[in-house]
Amino acid sequence: MNLIDAEPSAPPVFSRRREAAKGLRSSLAAGLGMFPLGIAFGLLVVQAGLPWWLAPALSTAAFAGSLELLLVGMIVTATPLATIALTTFLVNFRHVFYSFSFPLQVVKHPLAKVYSMYAMIDEAYAVTAASKERWNSWRLITMQLAFQCYWVVGGLVGVGISSLLPGRIEGLEFALCALFVTLTLDAARSGKQLPSLLLGAASFAAAVVLAPDASLFLGLLLFLALLIVRFAFSRRRGDSDA
């Protein structure tokens, strides 16, 4: 046997540029959806009578698409700061559960880790959860930076388009809601997530009846509790079948 062939192959050389390119490619699919939503957000800001610079300012201070769209309406109606703070907490509370499985541990630099926590948006979590490859700091941070660029640049494009339009476009505030409806229908198409969809509908209906003024928060808590019960029941049934 040839001694050269018998030697073990060398481990692949780590390349920051290659890993950053992988992170950029990982962001493209979700970025195609974020960019037009960013345009709708920029249009909404200007057509609501707010200054154009508020679009990139909100996208920097509060990088969360659903929250930013809500903030536009609350700013226009002069909503009290306490209500804005509570709404921010309720809308972004789901990110607490993202941290359980998000690959944040691969980011070692303190500043990079802070940014990764700040940019832990729905799209970033979905991409990492669906990927079977191992993540590293360069790939993860590049993907998150790309997502923020899609959103911020899309908002600036929307601001520019709004200056060319002769009138107001109605319904822009429902752009993100329409996206979540589409994602929900797509998830329920296979039938496996249909029980979760029914549990979510039941949780929201009960919350509206029990606490109309805090239906979102109560609905989320009820839905979480029902999901835990469903998971425990499914696991017990799997153990009994085994």
Side-chain angles (χ1 to χ4, degrees), residues 171-210:
L172 286 174
E173 60 273 16
F174 293 101
L176 194 65
C177 179
L179 173 64
F180 281 119
V181 170
T182 302
L183 293 175
T184 302
L185 294 175
D186 186 61
R189 186 175 300 172
S190 62
K192 294 182 179 180
Q193 298 301 325
L194 185 59
S196 296
L197 179 62
L198 296 176
L199 290 177
S203 301
F204 180 72
V208 170
V209 174
L210 296 174

Side-chain angles (χ1 to χ4, degrees), residues 51 65 143 187 206:
M143 181 190 69

Side-chain angles (χ1 to χ4, degrees), residues 2 11-12 18 25-26 44 79 113 121 126 133 136 153 166 181 200 214:
N2 192 328
R18 186 187 305 115
R25 287 196 297 269
S26 298
L44 180 63
T79 304
K113 180 164 290 190
I121 59 174
E133 299 183 21
N136 56 65
V153 174
V181 170

Side-chain angles (χ1 to χ4, degrees), residues 81-126:
L81 289 178
T83 303
I84 294 177
L86 179 61
T87 302
T88 301
F89 173 76
L90 295 177
V91 172
N92 287 343
F93 186 72
R94 66 188 186 279
H95 291 186
V96 174
F97 302 99
Y98 289 173
S99 62
F100 294 154
S101 56
F102 192 76
L104 186 63
Q105 69 280 358
V106 302
V107 184
K108 304 302 181 183
H109 194 281
L111 292 179
K113 180 164 290 190
V114 169
Y115 176 78
S116 186
M117 290 189 290
Y118 153 78
M120 194 188 300
I121 59 174
D122 298 334
E123 290 79 5
Y125 174 78

Side-chain angles (χ1 to χ4, degrees), residues 2-3 10 16 40 43 59 61 69 72 75 80 82 88 118 144 154 157 167 176 203 211 217 227 234:
N2 192 328
L3 293 178
R16 294 177 178 178
L43 285 167
S59 299
L69 290 169
V72 171
I75 292 173
T88 301
Y118 153 78
Q144 292 179 285
V157 171
L176 194 65
S203 301
F217 184 61
L227 286 178
S234 300

